[in-house]
Amino acid sequence: NEPFDLRLPTPGCYLDPEKAGMDSDALFKGMTEHLFFTLGKLATSASPHDLYMALSYAVKDRLMTRYLASQEVIRKKPQKTVAYLSAEFLIGPQLSNNLLNLGITKEAEDALKRFGIESLSTILEVEEEPGLGNGGLGRLAACYMESLASLQVPAVGYGIRYEFGIFNQLIRDGWQVEVTDKWLKGGWPWELPQPDESCFVGFGGRTESYRDDKGKYRSRWVPSEHAIGVPHDVPVLGYRVNTCDRLRLWRADATESFDFYAFNIGDYYGAVEEKVASETLSKVLYPNDGTDEGRRLRLKQQHFFVSCSLQDMLRSLEKRSIPVTEFANHWTVQLNDTHPAIAVAELMRLLIDQYQIGWDKAWNITTSSVAYTNHTLLPEALEKWDLSLFSDLLPRHLEIIYEINWRFLQQLRLRYPGDDKILQKLSIIDEEGSKSVRMAHLATIGAHHINGVAALHSDLIKRQLLPEFAELWPEKFTNVTNGVTPRRWVALANPSLSNLLEKEVGPDWITNMELLKKLENKKDDANFLQEFEETKLRGKRKLASFIHTKTGILVDPSSLFDVQVKRIHQYKRQHLNALQIIAQYLRIKNGTSNYKAPRTVIFGGKAAPGYFMAKLIIRFINGIADVVNSDPDMEGLLRVVFLPDYNVKLGEIVYPATDLSEQISTAGKEASGTGNMKFAMNGALTIGTLDGANVELRDLVKKENFFLFGKTESEIMHLKNNSYSPKTFIEKCPELQEVIRLIEIGHFSNGDKELFKPLLNSLTGNDPFFVMADFEDYLNKQDEVSNFWNNKKAWNKMALLNTARSGYFSSDRSIREYCESIWKVSPMPVEITCDIEEIT
Ligand code: GPW
């Protein structure tokens, strides 16, 4: 394993990663140069944003040695590289993370002081985060890239560089208003455009058959449109290691060659229009979380980034003179849900049409390199494409899918003779109604492994979603429970807790979260629990001040901070939480509250712009907040806050400040959840259902340290199969009747009796997410929480045990599992040598 010698690829390089360039003097010099030469600014008139840019450029410079060395290692070594294909990467702010992973936060602070900036946070606050994802799925991809690098695994993340990410959310008159996210407007210093590595992608047109040199009939695609994908690379540095992996995001560009010469002479404006059309490909992220909108442009986006990425992988083999038949020994391709599932057909097409490889060999290559992660069971989220749209846009892929399907069905016929039902059930093509392509079936057939994202979820995939596939290929189905990176979600987000952890168990917990188990020894140590509580208080003061600035609401940091942050969805049941608040409000009003625990209930999250019910839930929460926060009787007892524009940056403020984490989805609906993990690590207690990773969380922290309520998945199924009627639950619960009545009379809508009718009708009508069925149990459990809050020592002990026992949810553990059981890759340390004496 030869070390990467800085002198060879970088003659005269002045950066010794071990010794030089990382001190505050060098950073100051780097910042000064970037201010002057890159930004064209004088230090004397530099704004905080200018200083953010200058520091970021200086930090990016300091990633380059590791980045280039890592890319060299990937290029040279005959080892497998992970390709993580995802339509979303919600990477969050970059500066603080890179400073942490490089280990130069202190140095950066010192350098900033010389520009008159006393606190790094003033600079971090102006950073614009790229919202290239909707929620959990995109954030998971970002945590996984960080863990891959930290574990020194060669990896590339492939995705789309959306010009507009997830919209910014404003709240106006209690309603969500969407504003375009112009994250690139001030310049984004973390990317490296690589136009020389661009790729061509086709769309539309037709297929034709022709005879090859050997006289053999073959099929080929004649697309009617093309776009160019231009890679924009973001370095992803591991924690205190040399490995710096690459996140390669494709931006769509127009193909100018034809349009701008021969064909469009005299039609300059027409040509420009076409150019604009191809550039819309990477314009905007679809703001749906877990619903399949089935839009033509979205399928185009998927094919666009998948085709670029696969061509890029194949090209990397060619560059090294490795035969493409070796593909599966050099790349392991992970599909983050079905958004990139077209990869199965595209890899087949490239191998067969471009590289002239026979079907069987190509199929073997494809199925030994591709694996698929499923993130949902919700039928409305399972991607399906109309056959007509598919054949219009990707005619050659459809031919290939038909062939894959035909061969697969043949296999089934042998195994289940005469059973046409099962063929219909498993076929990639859904023959019901207007015919469509089922992407989950394509992914399942084309992958060597299919995994769910929490134990319960993986089990339900086998039992409910794809039972026949699981019977056919039991060895393909597996589980990898999600995880989150402790670097961002503890070390960066919660410095005061991190200091305490380091003092107690040493610094290695950041890369070995299991070490936190040692904290269990402190569970009865009053002094330690006091210190632990103090870290929480610090987080709460910070959030309280943020809330005041953003919403004008004053909240008391000593009150119980009860938080639900996540996308707004009926299955996540923010409205169950809201109804519970109304019940507490009523009790206080009626003087029947035994409320000794003042609470601040905090919500945050975006609704898909076209999801009426979710937007109404936001309006509902804000209606309740208005009434509660302006009622003198609630003073010192209850506050309700809807935090606008929840994103990664805000998450970093919220998780450390939370006492109670709300994980209250209908059992069986939340595949995993990852916020639940971030809360627990930061010492919040959870009130939750037996859903997703809550199940494992409760097992780990032990049931006495988890507030469990609600029907189980099988109880929900039972209700559903026995004509569930919410009315029977309402009739049994007078308090719930009161709550409903208050909403009906317009108490939370300034007397407007119509506003929340759709919500009430849904809840009292068919109540698809069993809110009524779980209400009473939830309310009782919240009482238990309130009672418990008054025993501060017991609470702190439970909170500490949550932190101590949640190490399992580090994404390092998840990534190790993927490496061992799915990808079969091992770490490959990157060595760098540079004799500074010799250079200077
Ligand atoms: F529908 N998830 C998400 F499965 O954030 F594709 N967006 C999505 O589009 C989908 C799933 C999809 C989430 C799950 O809802 C959540 O339970 C899970 O923790 C997360 O993905 C990461 O696995």
Side-chain angles (χ1 to χ4, degrees):
N1 204 347
E2 222 175 278
F4 174 82
D5 190 335
L6 271 175
R7 290 161 300 181
L8 300 179
T10 323
C13 178
Y14 62 95
L15 272 180
D16 178 346
E18 303 302 328
K19 302 176 206 129
M22 299 295 173
D23 53 295
S24 71
D25 284 347
L27 274 174
F28 175 74
K29 183 161 174 276
M31 284 183 71
T32 308
E33 288 182 355
H34 278 296
L35 270 178
F36 195 90
F37 294 112
T38 312
L39 301 164
K41 297 272 164 99
L42 288 174
T44 46
S45 61
S47 67
H49 187 262
D50 295 331
L51 290 171
Y52 157 73
M53 292 293 280
L55 178 56
S56 298
Y57 280 123
V59 170
K60 188 174 71 176
D61 289 347
R62 281 149 185 81
L63 298 178
M64 283 303 110
T65 300
R66 286 169 174 80
Y67 177 65
L68 291 168
S70 302
Q71 299 313 311
E72 267 310 271
V73 165
I74 291 178
R75 199 174 64 79
K76 277 194 191 144
K77 299 291 165 183
Q79 214 220 279
K80 245 196 247 179
T81 301
V82 177
Y84 198 85
L85 267 61
S86 179
E88 304 186 8
F89 285 93
L90 198 47
I91 58 179
Q94 295 297 288
L95 177 56
S96 52
N97 204 168
N98 282 317
L99 289 173
L100 174 74
N101 286 11
L102 275 170
I104 58 170
T105 307
K106 177 79 179 50
E107 287 75 3
E109 280 168 348
D110 290 344
L112 280 170
K113 289 209 174 90
R114 293 165 70 175
F115 291 98
I117 301 288
E118 282 310 312
S119 159
L120 175 59
S121 63
T122 39
I123 295 304
L124 298 181
E125 268 160 30
V126 303
E127 178 165 1
E128 183 86 45
E129 77 171 72
L132 309 185
N134 273 288
L137 172 131
R139 182 54 231 176
L140 185 79
C143 284
Y144 281 1
M145 288 307 298
E146 201 273 351
S147 274
L148 279 162
S150 293
L151 293 170
Q152 309 183 75
V153 177
V156 190
Y158 283 110
I160 301 176
R161 181 185 178 274
Y162 301 104
E163 187 179 337
F164 301 113
I166 187 68
F167 62 85
N168 295 324
Q169 180 193 54
L170 303 180
I171 302 296
R172 288 286 172 268
D173 303 324
W175 293 101
Q176 165 175 298
V177 173
E178 301 92 20
V179 178
T180 47
D181 163 53
K182 298 187 178 131
W183 67 285
L184 289 160
K185 68 176 181 296
W188 196 64
W190 300 103
E191 64 184 358
L192 303 154
Q194 304 288 5
D196 56 319
E197 295 186 52
S198 296
C199 291
F200 267 91
V201 184
F203 298 98
R206 59 193 167 79
T207 62
E208 62 182 20
S209 68
Y210 70 104
R211 261 184 211 256
D212 69 10
D213 327 334
K214 295 179 194 112
K216 217 178 135 204
Y217 278 106
R218 311 186 69 96
S219 195
R220 71 180 163 207
W221 183 19
V222 190
S224 56
E225 269 179 67
H226 285 93
I228 298 177
V230 185
H232 286 58
D233 296 345
V234 183
V236 181
L237 178 67
Y239 180 77
R240 310 285 159 97
V241 291
N242 286 333
T243 303
C244 185
D245 284 329
R246 164 192 280 166
L247 174 56
R248 175 155 275 192
L249 303 176
W250 301 95
R251 178 176 65 78
D253 222 342
T255 53
E256 292 189 4
S257 50
F258 287 98
D259 319 305
F260 276 80
Y261 294 111
F263 297 112
N264 284 297
I265 290 176
D267 187 18
Y268 180 77
Y269 290 102
V272 171
E273 258 169 46
E274 210 162 292
K275 179 172 148 63
V276 170
S278 32
E279 285 169 1
T280 59
L281 260 181
S282 58
K283 257 293 171 251
V284 62
L285 168 79
Y286 276 85
N288 307 315
D289 181 76
T291 41
D292 170 28
E293 249 208 296
R295 301 287 296 274
R296 183 188 171 89
L297 183 59
R298 184 164 160 113
L299 180 57
K300 277 183 109 170
Q301 287 184 335
Q302 297 182 349
H303 176 248
F304 164 71
F305 95 88
V306 165
S307 179
C308 289
S309 308
L310 288 168
Q311 288 182 55
D312 195 56
M313 290 175 230
L314 288 161
R315 187 172 54 192
S316 79
L317 300 185
E318 278 185 62
K319 276 190 192 160
R320 291 178 280 169
S321 311
I322 297 168
V324 292
T325 48
E326 293 291 302
F327 185 88
N329 297 324
H330 292 269
W331 290 100
T332 172
V333 179
Q334 191 66 33
L335 309 179
N336 199 21
D337 212 82
T338 56
H339 318 142
I342 187 67
V344 174
E346 174 67 354
L347 183 53
M348 286 298 284
R349 185 189 70 85
L350 290 165
L351 293 172
I352 292 169
D353 295 0
Q354 223 94 307
Y355 292 90
Q356 323 274 297
I357 290 169
W359 182 278
D360 290 326
K361 208 171 217 170
W363 185 242
N364 186 34
I365 294 169
T366 301
T367 53
S368 22
S369 48
V370 174
Y372 156 51
T373 306
N374 171 284
H375 296 262
T376 187
L377 306 168
L378 299 179
E380 65 270 29
L382 297 174
E383 289 191 299
K384 276 178 170 193
W385 296 104
D386 268 351
L387 228 45
S388 57
L389 167 63
F390 214 102
S391 67
D392 214 34
L393 220 49
L394 303 167
R396 178 63 181 134
H397 296 77
L398 189 58
E399 274 181 10
I400 290 170
I401 287 171
Y402 280 147
E403 180 72 22
I404 293 171
N405 202 37
W406 186 82
R407 287 168 184 249
F408 169 64
L409 295 180
Q410 281 299 91
Q411 226 180 297
L412 279 186
R413 283 190 185 99
L414 290 176
R415 185 161 163 150
Y416 305 100
D419 188 347
D420 279 355
K421 268 248 163 61
I422 203 162
L423 301 194
Q424 269 180 34
K425 252 195 176 151
L426 298 200
S427 169
I428 301 174
I429 308 301
D430 186 351
E431 306 274 351
E432 266 177 46
S434 71
K435 295 185 183 181
S436 58
V437 183
R438 294 190 275 220
M439 299 308 271
H441 290 212
L442 176 62
T444 302
I445 295 165
H448 55 84
H449 282 89
I450 300 111
N451 75 283
V453 289
L456 172 67
H457 169 63
S458 296
D459 193 49
L460 292 173
I461 290 177
K462 288 196 278 188
R463 283 181 11 229
Q464 292 175 8
L465 188 69
L466 305 165
E468 298 84 1
F469 281 109
E471 192 193 294
L472 191 59
W473 298 312
E475 68 291 347
K476 274 198 191 189
F477 287 76
T478 183
N479 171 250
V480 182
T481 299
N482 282 168
V484 302
T485 172
R487 269 72 67 184
R488 183 176 294 271
W489 297 114
V490 184
L492 276 178
N494 201 342
S496 54
L497 175 61
S498 301
N499 288 337
L500 184 63
L501 298 179
E502 175 162 349
K503 203 174 80 184
E504 207 42 50
V505 307
D508 291 346
W509 65 269
I510 296 188
T511 48
N512 180 7
M513 289 276 281
E514 294 298 334
L515 290 177
L516 296 183
K517 288 237 166 76
K518 290 189 192 167
L519 293 172
E520 290 190 30
N521 298 330
K522 295 279 167 182
K523 69 182 193 313
D524 297 307
D525 179 332
N527 288 331
F528 188 82
L529 290 177
Q530 189 58 45
E531 279 187 80
F532 188 71
E533 186 185 337
E534 184 55 37
T535 69
K536 182 60 74 182
L537 253 172
R538 257 176 236 231
K540 290 166 77 173
R541 284 192 210 106
K542 185 170 168 192
L543 179 58
S545 116
F546 184 89
I547 289 172
H548 186 239
T549 315
K550 291 288 161 178
T551 68
I553 303 170
L554 278 169
V555 302
D556 177 2
S558 70
S559 64
L560 191 169
F561 277 21
D562 169 350
V563 181
Q564 189 171 20
V565 288
K566 49 182 79 241
R567 285 297 287 255
I568 312 293
H569 246 292
Q570 284 166 288
Y571 85 78
K572 295 179 190 279
R573 300 200 295 191
Q574 281 90 357
H575 47 346
L576 172 59
N577 190 347
L579 294 176
Q580 178 269 150
I581 297 172
I582 296 178
Q584 303 295 358
Y585 163 83
L586 269 171
R587 287 181 185 179
I588 300 173
K589 287 305 265 186
N590 299 337
T592 57
S593 173
N594 59 348
Y595 231 169
K596 288 167 244 122
R599 273 203 208 205
T600 303
V601 189
I602 298 163
F603 293 86
K606 296 173 186 177
Y611 187 171
F612 168 74
M613 212 52 119
K615 292 177 114 171
L616 191 59
I617 289 172
I618 293 178
R619 179 64 189 81
F620 184 47
I621 292 166
N622 283 312
I624 297 168
D626 284 346
V627 170
V628 168
N629 298 340
S630 60
D631 185 334
D633 293 347
M634 299 300 129
E635 188 86 46
L637 290 176
L638 187 59
R639 280 288 170 271
V640 180
V641 176
F642 190 94
L643 272 176
D645 205 35
Y646 179 65
N647 60 9
V648 175
K649 208 173 175 177
L650 183 45
E652 290 179 25
I653 301 174
V654 164
Y655 292 111
T658 297
D659 297 306
L660 184 68
S661 153
E662 299 271 352
Q663 307 300 335
I664 61 176
S665 52
T666 315
K669 300 293 181 194
E670 187 71 271
S672 163
T674 43
N676 44 3
M677 304 169 185
K678 298 165 195 169
F679 280 119
M681 285 177 182
N682 283 285
L685 306 186
T686 303
I687 183 165
T689 49
L690 281 181
D691 200 16
N694 297 353
V695 178
E696 289 149 274
L697 175 59
R698 178 166 170 268
D699 288 343
L700 284 160
V701 305
K702 306 277 162 62
K703 61 176 189 294
E704 65 274 17
N705 300 306
F706 186 104
F707 296 103
L708 178 71
F709 77 96
K711 302 252 177 286
T712 63
E713 188 274 330
S714 67
E715 288 166 348
I716 295 276
M717 282 305 258
H718 184 82
L719 280 177
K720 199 187 195 123
N721 296 334
N722 293 277
S723 48
Y724 166 60
S725 149
K727 295 243 157 58
T728 56
F729 289 89
I730 299 170
E731 278 158 18
K732 280 193 307 195
C733 182
E735 238 181 324
L736 180 52
Q737 293 162 22
E738 268 302 284
V739 168
I740 292 172
R741 198 191 60 85
L742 211 55
I743 304 165
E744 271 171 353
I745 62 169
H747 192 74
F748 302 102
S749 43
N750 298 310
D752 182 344
K753 296 182 179 129
E754 295 301 309
L755 185 61
F756 299 128
K757 249 196 188 148
L759 194 55
L760 284 176
N761 288 344
S762 164
L763 291 174
T764 58
N766 64 341
D767 188 20
F769 297 98
F770 302 87
V771 175
M772 301 292 102
D774 277 345
F775 178 83
E776 198 170 10
D777 198 13
Y778 179 55
L779 190 62
N780 290 337
K781 196 50 69 167
Q782 287 287 15
D783 282 343
E784 213 178 287
V785 170
S786 289
N787 289 329
F788 209 80
W789 177 252
N790 292 312
N791 185 350
K792 248 354 211 341
K793 187 157 175 234
W795 183 284
N796 290 338
K797 176 176 167 177
M798 263 167 83
L800 178 70
L801 289 176
N802 267 265
T803 299
R805 295 171 179 172
S806 55
Y808 178 78
F809 294 116
S810 164
S811 44
D812 295 347
R813 188 269 313 150
S814 313
I815 288 298
R816 280 199 191 94
E817 288 183 12
Y818 277 102
C819 287
E820 278 163 29
S821 62
I822 299 180
W823 300 332
K824 316 285 180 206
V825 297
S826 33
M828 201 160 57
V830 174
E831 273 187 67
I832 301 172
T833 61
C834 178
D835 190 337
I836 200 93
E837 309 284 291
E838 243 177 80
I839 291 168
T840 50

